[in-house]
Amino acid sequence: MFAKLKQLFSMPKKRNDAEAIMKADDVEFLADMAVQLDETIRKLVIDEQEILEKLGPARVQELKEFWNQELTAEEDADFKRSMDYWDKTLIRIWANSKRARQTRAQVGQTLMKLNSHL
């Protein structure tokens, strides 16, 4: 699945080449992927909200500073030692959400390019 997605993202810029490569099943694949990514993002947002409520605003602020790499090396090492299950889960959700949003944007851009060529 990811190999096909990578192939589609590296689609040639020329109209004729793109039309030759892109087939109806490729468009369907991208549309299905967009729907799946939208569902994944919605689920991650819900999961994130639940964990934010469990952690409280002070801890969430600390995690945001860690996530944004605003801590010194020493603070970073200390902070990592203090992380519990929910902290690590929230960081994973942020990473997965970032990746899903980036991939969703790429899928949307590819679909828009295809629509402009059809």
Side-chain angles (χ1 to χ4, degrees):
M1 175 161 99
F2 289 108
K4 183 167 184 131
L5 183 61
K6 187 175 180 181
Q7 173 192 3
L8 293 174
F9 286 156
S10 61
M11 186 176 69
K13 303 290 183 221
K14 295 180 183 176
R15 180 182 169 151
N16 292 338
D17 291 342
E19 289 175 351
I21 293 173
M22 191 54 62
K23 298 175 184 161
D25 61 328
D26 293 333
V27 172
E28 184 179 343
F29 170 80
L30 285 172
D32 290 345
M33 178 168 261
V35 170
Q36 290 175 1
L37 286 164
D38 289 341
E39 290 173 12
T40 298
I41 292 168
R42 275 191 290 277
K43 183 185 179 312
L44 288 168
V45 167
I46 291 168
D47 293 348
E48 177 185 16
Q49 190 58 44
E50 290 174 359
I51 295 173
L52 292 176
E53 291 173 12
K54 289 179 185 185
L55 293 175
R59 186 59 176 176
V60 170
Q61 182 58 39
E62 292 172 342
L63 286 164
K64 285 181 181 178
E65 290 172 6
F66 172 77
W67 175 254
N68 293 325
Q69 300 176 341
E70 297 171 0
L71 305 176
T72 66
E74 185 177 317
E75 291 171 331
D76 187 73
D78 289 341
F79 189 79
K80 284 180 183 177
R81 284 192 291 275
S82 75
M83 291 176 73
D84 67 6
Y85 172 81
W86 294 114
D87 296 336
K88 293 174 184 176
T89 300
L90 183 59
I91 295 293
R92 266 193 309 277
I93 287 172
W94 286 344
N96 290 338
S97 182
K98 180 180 178 181
R99 186 174 50 250
R101 290 175 194 274
Q102 289 172 340
T103 303
R104 177 59 177 93
Q106 289 178 320
V107 168
Q109 289 169 355
T110 302
L111 283 170
M112 287 189 303
K113 286 177 188 176
L114 290 175
N115 286 335
S116 70
H117 292 244
L118 296 178

